[in-house]
Amino acid sequence: MKSIKSLKVMFLTALFVMAMSAVAFAGPQDFVLVNNTGFPIYTINISPASTDQWQEDILGSQILGNGEALQVNFNAGNTQMWDINAVFEDGSSISWYDIDLLSTYQVTLNNDGTASLQ
């Protein structure tokens, strides 16, 4: 019985350590992306503001529904300003420019073309 209790404590301790290490190693640009556009988003591209080329879709085969949030994890050095592009089911898109991801932990994409930053 003591052995089972000991294993449970070790398992829970290991889970706690792994969870804390994930937080400790989060990249400086990691953030939560919230869809407040009113429509599901089928493609999201994030690129440094200094480039005119969109990087690959971070959603893959996922769809980010209206009102849903997505944890975005990446570390791209010290690049501070980023652009975000969202593509909808009908192929239309909205882009948000010059978002400071080094000072932001949540980006809410609004349907009027603005982004709320926290």
Side-chain angles (χ1 to χ4, degrees):
M1 192 67 141
K2 248 185 182 179
S3 176
I4 292 174
K5 212 179 218 184
S6 225
L7 283 173
K8 283 182 182 179
V9 169
M10 285 178 23
F11 178 74
L12 291 174
T13 302
L15 282 177
F16 177 76
V17 168
M18 286 189 305
M20 294 311 292
S21 66
V23 170
F25 292 111
Q29 291 91 1
D30 292 354
F31 65 99
V32 174
L33 184 69
V34 179
N35 177 6
N36 190 35
T37 64
F39 302 96
I41 297 174
Y42 284 72
T43 302
I44 296 175
N45 310 95
I46 303 173
S47 296
S50 60
T51 184
D52 59 358
Q53 302 259 339
W54 291 113
Q55 293 184 358
E56 70 180 62
D57 174 24
I58 64 168
L59 285 180
S61 62
Q62 295 178 332
I63 297 170
L64 185 62
N66 184 54
E68 293 182 348
L70 171 71
Q71 176 66 44
V72 179
N73 298 312
F74 71 105
N75 184 356
N78 292 325
T79 302
Q80 186 166 359
M81 305 306 282
W82 293 82
D83 299 337
I84 299 174
N85 183 61
V87 180
F88 305 98
E89 183 177 24
D90 65 358
S92 65
S93 65
I94 300 177
S95 297
W96 295 265
Y97 298 100
D98 297 320
I99 297 173
D100 180 354
L101 293 183
L102 291 179
S103 303
T104 302
Y105 66 89
Q106 180 173 306
V107 177
T108 300
L109 304 178
N110 302 308
N111 65 355
D112 63 358
T114 63
S116 304
L117 309 177
Q118 296 180 351

